[in-house]
Amino acid sequence: MRIRLSLAALSLVGGAGLATVSVPSATAAACTDIDVVAARGTFEPGTLGFIVGDPVYSALQRKITGKSLSSYRVDYPADLSPTSAAQGNTNLVNHVNSQAASCPNQRFILVGYSQGANVVDNSIGISSAGAVVGSPIVATIPAALEPKVAAVLLFGNPIRALGKSVTGTYQSRTIDFCATGDPICQSGGGDVGAHLGYTANADAAAAFAATKV
């Protein structure tokens, strides 16, 4: 079924695109126990993302006790440009590489919403090419650093509408929320509002991550 999205909804969920790009390397932050790396959705406001990133980070701070947390906002356009997701993919991987070099004991929680989920998918080796606001893989977290990724938290993940999901190395560490009727992650979904309600899953995502760190 073809879905006609309103302009307001389209501004959040975006369009497809693909390209290979290069972006500046991310700079290292403080050596906390856990670095929460969040990729926001298309045009999503907020520091890490008003709908997902910010509430999830707050929930993680409540659920994970006895460990220090920091956050990183993936530096990418999060817009409808054809290189947007690819830029995010590159920046996320550069950040993890930089942090791992500077803080060898640090672990990571990866958070992605909508286009940001495509960014995370690509970064862990699951291509989002062909998905809404997707792109081919341009960088992946090196195999040597895979054990440092404690959890992967995904929301409204566009590859789900293609019948794909996170498999392999990261599968047991991944929770992937797709609301009933969300047309971005559910093929044939017709409820655009469902794509905007993932704040409600923040506590569940944080509880899952807390079991992995």
Side-chain angles (χ1 to χ4, degrees):
M1 177 175 65
R2 295 180 64 84
I3 305 299
R4 298 183 66 85
L5 303 183
S6 68
L7 181 60
L10 182 62
S11 71
L12 277 169
V13 302
L18 48 90
T20 300
V21 296
S22 60
V23 294
S25 297
T27 56
C31 291
T32 56
D33 294 321
I34 301 167
D35 191 33
V36 180
V37 182
R40 67 200 188 282
T42 307
F43 298 135
E44 187 186 9
T47 303
L48 302 177
F50 177 78
I51 294 172
V52 167
D54 292 338
V56 167
Y57 186 62
S58 293
L60 288 168
Q61 290 177 306
R62 294 191 301 270
K63 298 286 186 182
I64 299 174
T65 58
K67 295 181 184 295
S68 58
L69 271 67
S70 57
S71 66
Y72 177 76
R73 170 188 168 113
V74 174
D75 185 8
Y76 85 115
D79 61 17
L80 304 183
S81 64
T83 64
S84 179
Q87 290 181 62
N89 176 192
T90 303
N91 183 263
L92 188 156
V93 172
N94 283 347
H95 175 74
V96 169
N97 285 335
S98 177
Q99 284 295 114
S102 299
C103 307
N105 295 321
Q106 191 173 61
R107 300 181 74 196
F108 302 93
I109 294 173
L110 308 182
V111 181
Y113 165 53
S114 196
Q115 184 177 173
N118 286 337
V119 168
V120 174
D121 291 333
N122 283 6
S123 300
I124 61 174
I126 309 294
S127 176
S128 67
V132 175
V133 288
S135 82
I137 294 170
V138 294
T140 54
I141 294 171
L145 301 185
E146 287 175 0
K148 295 180 179 292
V149 178
V152 178
L153 313 178
L154 303 173
F155 305 78
N157 188 356
I159 70 168
R160 294 277 297 273
L162 302 178
K164 297 176 63 177
S165 62
V166 174
T167 57
T169 302
Y170 293 95
Q171 185 173 7
S172 65
R173 289 174 265 168
T174 299
I175 191 166
D176 191 343
F177 296 92
C178 179
T180 300
D182 180 348
I184 302 307
C185 60
Q186 182 182 81
S187 180
D191 182 3
V192 173
H195 191 65
L196 309 179
Y198 289 105
T199 301
N201 301 114
D203 280 351
F208 172 83
T211 69
K212 302 297 181 181
V213 297

